[in-house]
Amino acid sequence: MNLQRKRVVVTGMGHLSSIASNIDEFKQALYDKKCGIKPSKKYLPFFDGANASEILQDLTYEGLSQEQIKNLDNAALWAYKVGYEALKNGKVDDPALRVNMGLIIGVSSAGTEAYIPIIEHRYENFSLGKSLISGSFSSCSSIVAALLNIQGGFELIATACTASTNALGMGFDNIQNNKNKYSLIIGTEPLYLPTFAGFYTLKAMKKTPSSPFSGEPGMSIGEGAGAILIEEYEHAVARGATIYGEIISYATSGDAYHETAPDPLATGAVQVMNKAMENAGITPQDIQYINAHGTGTDANDRSETLAMKKVFPNIASIPVSSTKSYVGHNIGSAGIIELVACLLTLKEDKILPTLNFTTPRQNCDLNYVPNEFQEGHVKMFMKNNYAFGGNNCSIIASPHFLDRKISRYQPKRVAITGIGLISSLGHNYTTIMSRLWNGDNAATYLPIFSDEEEKLTYRERLKRIQVFDSKNGDDFVKNYTTEEKLNNTIDGFTYTHRVVDLDPRKYLRRFDPRKAIAISTYALLAVTQSMKHAQRKIKRDGQNIGLILGMSKGPQEVVARFLDSIYPDPNKVRTSEFPNSLMNAVATFCSISEGIKGYNTTLATGYNAGVGALTYSYELIRQSLQPQVITGGADEIPAKEVVHIMSATGALQVTDDNTAFRVYDKESKGYLMGEGAGILFLEDYQHALDRNVPIQAEIIGYGKANDTTYFDFNATDPKKKSVAMTRAIYQAFNEAKIDATQVDLVCGSSHGTALYNEFELEAIHTVFSKNNSQIPVVNYCGYFGFIESCSGILNIATIIEIMRRGEILPIPYTKSFIRDDLSFVTEPLKKQVSIALVLASTEGGNHYAILLKKGNVG
């Protein structure tokens, strides 16, 4: 059955940059050809000739109190501001309309601001309250969802310079599958010292405003935020919304070439543009304008120009321009800001100029619309962005609602054909599962501090940070943590599940230890395992495999080294560490190592981001966008400061008892941290049958919803959070066309804190109490430690093994369960499981429900 792709329109917009504080101001600034790139107020004292496009104007945040503003970072505040404007602009005032609205935010440097005082050794300015509320990479999406009362599920995309463009593509797909009637897409990017220092010392920046494709090469960095509300066309018409344009298609790709430099042959850029047009069902002749990435660097401008020449035989007649000449390179928010600029001007038949244009550079010989607007009626245009690591994105859009042929696709069934695992129990899926079924589940368990001397050194560091100083706190901080708790954390030693005795060279064909860090090594090992399990080798066909990874805290080891090198002289920062400190560095390492060149995205939504990546990968296959996708997550043990604060807040246990991680126990006191990776190889079900490979399981449906309790710090009622998880479960049932009576097993992924235990079990009870009340309930996080990004993936892998063996493992270590109305599995249970439900949540209130059907193995 062929399905016609839904038409997705833009019904709201928001903007913030150095040249404007709202949409109306931005439109006028564009027409006034206002360049916001000037000598930097913030960074000229550190860097000679530093210029930037900075937000220096006074800002207001309608609907927020001063107390809220104090504890939010600019990434969240700016995202809220433009999101609020887009919803107001889109006339989505009724809270009921936001229950089924999705939120996807793209950002590169989230969670940084709270720790800037430590990075700059201004310890007295550190605020524990700000770090707890806004100090995680994923907090931005949780904050905005809660403040704007959006409940249709959220994600955070972290692919650096393509982040917001990537976010738009994911939102587009969610509408295609009826997950959301509309999605709010935001890009937000404050300019912090680590980012500025990284680009400056790479010698990528220009001391005067950038002039893309002309004159002296070099980029100008910028900050800002943008938002667009996208909506199913019929839904928009029904509610009388104003339509500002149409999103027609998108695509992503990976170069698999280099950590920072674009492929000089522009292979990935060519691939992504062709794929976007293929998805739209159009040809190069249908594109009448290209809004280029156009950073101004010699490498980008030359490679991008070559790519356009390869794709468009008629490129000489197509105007091309770079909006970065107005507002600089806005990194994570660049794509959305530039798309909004196109929609505002092209609707009035005005084609944006490339400002500051002088003499074209060698091999840059296109119509770059130099300095002045050009007249032209553009029916369809292309918006391109490229990022470190070779992540490429292309959007096809129109400033009008066209009378055109709509592309179609054949919905695919989605199979899991490969599994790769790394954990404290072993270095591969087979070993780990064998140990579990043999009862050999004694994981390697080590303290976070290696000895007493290291503990004393760390205590002195904490004193310098003055993390206990109440003058920087508030009632929330005082209630959430105390000096006594913090001291107990140090004295008690925080133990963690660890990966040990690992020699990657035994498993990997290509492994460069100079570029490898723990998290990337774990991810690559699991990726290659999943490919081997799926009997898939890449032979110059890497474009047919996508790589979608989910991160929680990301590459902590290299981030710590990079940040430590900033003080005392940021001009001497370790440039080799900068690109590897980005969230998408792990995917970059894997794609380069294995030649994976298909759809490429990194989610950084926090706990269980790997499950969010799984849902996106499912859509890519279901919608015939990619035949095979590798997906999941990886984690390494984070920095001691992070572990310390997590312990003090009660999420992480301080104990040396290997059996203390007791999920659903009446005495449950939180989790024990783990490290490792969980990766699944997904593909079109029929494609797997044609390849004659075993199908481990089939994903038959999923659901996603979020609660808005992020600021309800003292929440004790699990029903507030269980409502969203219940919605996600029923959404999965609807997609799979089944009901509760057909499910044979439920697996939770709670990490063991009281609230998470209670709301997860409340949702299970709500769904199954009337039908199938004796369904077995399990949770296997205790075996592995809580591997933040992929605990749900490890549970899925264990459920697949249960389906194969016909025996359900018991929940480990728990002695006295908090409920007596659910059938917890406490002893090995012989049972054939055909359909299983796996649940997972992020720390910010995003909830996933995945339905698995037994494959043809076992």
Side-chain angles (χ1 to χ4, degrees):
M1 177 182 64
N2 279 324
L3 292 182
Q4 182 174 284
R5 295 193 190 276
K6 296 180 186 298
R7 303 196 69 170
V8 177
V9 294
V10 178
T11 55
M13 297 184 286
H15 176 83
L16 174 64
S17 70
S18 63
I19 62 175
S21 299
N22 56 56
I23 283 292
D24 292 337
E25 288 181 8
F26 187 44
K27 183 176 181 180
Q28 189 59 52
L30 291 171
Y31 281 128
D32 290 343
K33 297 179 294 181
K34 186 176 180 180
C35 177
I37 306 166
K38 296 180 172 63
S40 172
K41 294 279 187 181
K42 299 175 188 174
Y43 301 112
L44 202 53
F46 297 101
F47 306 98
D48 179 49
N51 74 89
S53 176
E54 296 170 303
I55 295 174
L56 302 174
Q57 63 268 37
D58 291 332
L59 301 176
T60 58
Y61 301 99
E62 190 172 346
L64 296 188
S65 68
Q66 287 303 309
E67 183 67 21
Q68 286 175 309
I69 292 171
K70 181 183 77 170
N71 283 325
L72 300 184
D73 64 358
N74 281 336
L77 283 170
W78 295 356
Y80 168 81
K81 181 177 175 63
V82 297
Y84 185 96
E85 183 185 11
L87 294 181
K88 187 175 182 179
N89 181 242
K91 298 180 174 59
V92 188
D93 302 316
D94 184 355
L97 294 175
R98 304 185 190 187
V99 173
N100 193 35
M101 179 184 292
L103 171 69
I104 307 177
I105 298 180
V107 67
S108 181
S109 299
T112 304
E113 184 176 315
Y115 302 102
I116 289 294
I118 296 176
I119 295 167
E120 297 179 352
H121 286 224
R122 296 182 291 105
Y123 300 109
E124 69 279 0
N125 293 328
F126 176 73
S127 166
L128 182 58
K130 192 167 192 173
S131 71
L132 289 171
I133 296 172
S134 305
S136 73
F137 204 99
S138 62
S139 59
C140 181
S141 51
S142 312
I143 289 167
V144 174
L147 292 175
L148 294 178
N149 197 35
I150 294 170
Q151 300 176 48
F154 59 73
E155 298 291 353
L156 194 73
I157 305 293
T159 49
C161 308
T162 59
S164 59
T165 322
N166 232 321
L168 178 58
M170 190 175 186
F172 180 88
D173 278 342
N174 286 346
I175 291 175
Q176 295 299 326
N177 196 19
N178 296 313
K179 296 301 179 187
N180 304 116
K181 289 297 182 184
Y182 37 21
S183 287
L184 180 62
I185 313 300
I186 297 176
T188 180
E189 194 71 43
L191 185 49
Y192 298 124
L193 178 60
T195 305
F196 197 98
F199 279 109
Y200 187 91
T201 53
L202 281 174
K203 303 187 185 306
M205 294 168 67
K206 193 178 176 185
K207 294 185 179 181
T208 56
S210 64
S211 53
F213 306 108
S214 71
E216 180 189 351
M219 64 178 282
S220 295
I221 201 165
E223 59 184 4
I228 66 169
L229 180 66
I230 59 173
E231 187 170 353
E232 185 181 350
Y233 170 67
E234 288 78 7
H235 189 268
V237 171
R239 70 180 189 88
T242 300
I243 294 175
Y244 297 99
E246 181 179 6
I247 307 301
I248 296 170
S249 77
Y250 87 103
T252 76
S253 74
D255 282 353
Y257 173 73
H258 191 268
E259 291 82 0
T260 58
D263 179 358
L265 299 178
T267 306
V270 168
Q271 177 186 321
V272 78
M273 287 189 277
N274 282 329
K275 184 64 175 176
M277 289 188 290
E278 176 189 327
N279 293 343
I282 64 172
T283 67
Q285 285 70 30
D286 294 310
I287 299 296
Q288 296 163 310
Y289 167 63
I290 301 171
N291 189 270
H293 189 53
T295 62
T297 65
D298 192 52
N300 174 91
D301 293 359
R302 191 186 317 117
S303 175
E304 188 170 11
T305 297
L306 175 62
M308 289 184 284
K309 288 179 178 179
K310 287 184 173 182
V311 171
F312 296 95
N314 58 331
I315 190 62
S317 64
I318 301 176
V320 176
S321 63
S322 171
T323 318
K324 290 179 177 64
S325 57
Y326 279 91
V327 292
H329 189 350
N330 301 121
I331 316 296
S333 61
I336 289 295
I337 288 175
E338 293 158 8
L339 182 64
V340 167
C342 293
L343 294 174
L344 288 173
T345 53
L346 291 175
K347 203 170 189 72
E348 298 179 357
D349 294 341
K350 302 290 186 181
I351 297 175
L352 285 158
T354 303
L355 302 183
N356 315 317
F357 198 89
T358 56
T359 304
R361 281 188 238 122
Q362 186 177 6
N363 299 319
C364 293
D365 52 359
L366 306 180
N367 172 15
Y368 300 111
V369 196
N371 299 316
E372 301 294 336
F373 278 89
Q374 290 182 5
E375 300 286 333
H377 183 68
V378 173
K379 292 182 178 179
M380 212 175 292
F381 69 94
M382 177 179 282
K383 163 82 224 110
N384 294 329
N385 289 105
Y386 309 110
F388 273 3
N391 182 273
N392 311 304
C393 283
S394 185
I395 298 286
I396 308 290
S398 173
H400 313 287
F401 188 76
L402 303 175
D403 181 14
R404 62 181 181 86
K405 183 180 179 180
I406 312 303
S407 63
R408 306 181 72 88
Y409 69 97
Q410 175 71 45
K412 306 294 186 183
R413 294 170 65 185
V414 181
I416 299 172
T417 55
I419 304 170
L421 301 182
I422 305 287
S423 81
S424 58
L425 287 174
H427 304 156
N428 58 70
Y429 172 61
T430 301
T431 297
I432 292 170
M433 292 300 130
S434 294
R435 288 188 65 179
L436 289 180
W437 261 266
N438 291 333
D440 179 16
N441 54 17
T444 303
Y445 196 55
L446 299 172
I448 194 69
F449 295 107
S450 59
D451 53 39
E452 287 291 325
E453 183 177 350
E454 184 182 14
K455 189 167 65 169
L456 289 172
T457 302
Y458 181 73
R459 186 189 294 278
E460 290 302 311
R461 181 175 173 85
L462 275 185
K463 287 180 180 178
R464 294 183 68 192
I465 295 174
Q466 297 181 6
V467 76
F468 325 124
D469 196 338
S470 61
K471 74 179 182 182
N472 291 323
D474 52 28
D475 289 339
F476 159 62
V477 176
K478 293 172 187 174
N479 292 334
Y480 214 74
T481 184
T482 64
E483 183 171 352
E484 181 183 4
K485 282 186 178 181
L486 293 166
N487 282 329
N488 286 342
T489 303
I490 298 176
D491 295 334
F493 277 56
T494 302
Y495 278 70
T496 55
H497 286 250
R498 304 295 278 273
V499 176
V500 297
D501 300 327
L502 176 63
D503 183 357
R505 290 166 296 187
K506 291 181 178 179
Y507 305 95
L508 298 171
R509 294 175 297 134
R510 294 182 293 273
F511 181 72
D512 187 347
R514 297 169 302 171
K515 295 182 179 180
I517 56 177
I519 188 172
S520 296
T521 301
Y522 301 154
L524 180 59
L525 281 164
V527 164
T528 56
Q529 283 180 39
S530 73
M531 293 172 63
K532 184 177 181 180
H533 197 197
Q535 302 176 33
R536 180 63 160 92
K537 293 182 179 180
I538 295 177
K539 298 179 179 179
R540 297 185 180 181
D541 62 346
Q543 71 277 5
N544 292 324
I545 302 180
L547 180 64
I548 314 296
L549 295 184
M551 297 286 109
S552 180
K553 293 181 175 61
Q556 291 277 294
E557 176 186 333
V558 71
V559 167
R561 291 201 301 264
F562 174 63
L563 295 181
D564 283 346
S565 73
I566 290 175
Y567 184 86
D569 184 0
N571 285 277
K572 296 180 180 179
V573 71
R574 292 184 185 137
T575 54
S576 61
E577 309 285 19
F578 176 50
N580 292 324
S581 69
L582 301 175
M583 275 289 186
N584 65 326
V586 178
T588 296
F589 182 77
C590 294
S591 61
I592 291 174
S593 298
E594 292 301 311
I596 303 168
K597 298 183 178 182
Y599 275 64
N600 186 292
T601 300
T602 296
L603 282 68
T605 321
Y607 297 173
N608 284 303
V611 180
L614 173 67
T615 65
Y616 181 38
S617 303
Y618 169 93
E619 288 299 341
L620 294 180
I621 294 172
R622 192 195 73 83
Q623 295 183 35
S624 300
L625 299 172
Q626 191 81 64
Q628 297 173 320
V629 181
I630 299 168
T631 188
D635 290 290
E636 63 188 24
I637 298 300
K640 291 179 175 61
E641 286 85 354
V642 176
V643 174
H644 184 66
I645 290 175
M646 291 165 63
S647 302
T649 58
L652 187 64
Q653 286 200 54
V654 181
T655 178
D656 60 359
D657 179 2
N658 193 27
T659 67
F661 190 177
R662 299 169 187 163
V663 178
Y664 309 142
D665 197 302
K666 289 180 180 179
E667 301 300 321
S668 180
K669 297 178 180 178
Y671 62 89
L672 303 179
M673 182 176 288
E675 64 176 350
I679 299 291
L680 303 175
F681 192 99
L682 311 186
E683 65 182 299
D684 168 12
Y685 194 99
Q686 186 59 50
H687 189 271
L689 293 178
D690 293 344
R691 292 200 305 123
N692 196 30
V693 297
I695 293 171
Q696 307 299 322
E698 180 184 359
I699 303 172
I700 58 174
Y702 78 92
K704 182 193 302 184
N706 67 279
D707 62 63
T708 56
T709 66
Y710 189 72
F711 293 99
D712 189 6
F713 303 115
N714 297 313
T716 56
D717 182 4
K719 291 186 178 180
K720 286 185 177 181
K721 298 178 79 68
S722 71
V723 169
M725 178 164 274
T726 300
R727 287 207 322 271
I729 295 171
Y730 282 120
Q731 194 179 58
F733 285 173
N734 289 337
E735 181 169 352
K737 296 181 173 57
I738 67 168
D739 59 36
T741 63
Q742 295 167 269
V743 178
D744 302 309
L745 178 65
V746 177
C747 180
S749 298
S750 169
H751 53 54
T753 57
L755 181 60
Y756 276 72
N757 285 342
E758 290 169 5
F759 82 72
E760 190 168 82
L761 297 181
E762 179 66 23
I764 294 170
H765 178 264
T766 299
V767 173
F768 292 96
S769 60
K770 292 183 179 178
N771 298 289
N772 207 1
S773 61
Q774 296 304 306
I775 188 168
V777 176
V778 295
N779 181 319
Y780 299 120
C781 292
Y783 285 125
F784 311 105
F786 189 63
I787 306 178
E788 293 182 0
S789 70
C790 57
S791 62
I793 299 292
L794 269 75
N795 274 318
I796 287 172
T798 309
I799 295 302
I800 291 172
E801 188 70 8
I802 286 170
M803 289 175 165
R804 187 178 75 83
R805 291 176 180 255
E807 181 181 49
I808 302 174
L809 284 176
I811 300 172
Y813 313 132
T814 300
K815 298 176 180 178
S816 178
F817 289 93
I818 61 175
R819 297 185 73 128
D820 57 10
D821 54 359
L822 293 172
S823 295
F824 299 106
V825 179
T826 58
E827 298 290 340
L829 175 65
K830 292 288 185 180
K831 180 180 174 65
Q832 293 299 318
V833 176
S834 296
I835 295 178
L837 172 67
V838 180
L839 306 176
S841 299
T842 71
E843 67 272 41
N846 213 33
H847 308 289
Y848 307 98
I850 310 294
L851 280 168
L852 300 174
K853 185 177 181 180
K854 183 180 178 181
N856 58 13
V857 296

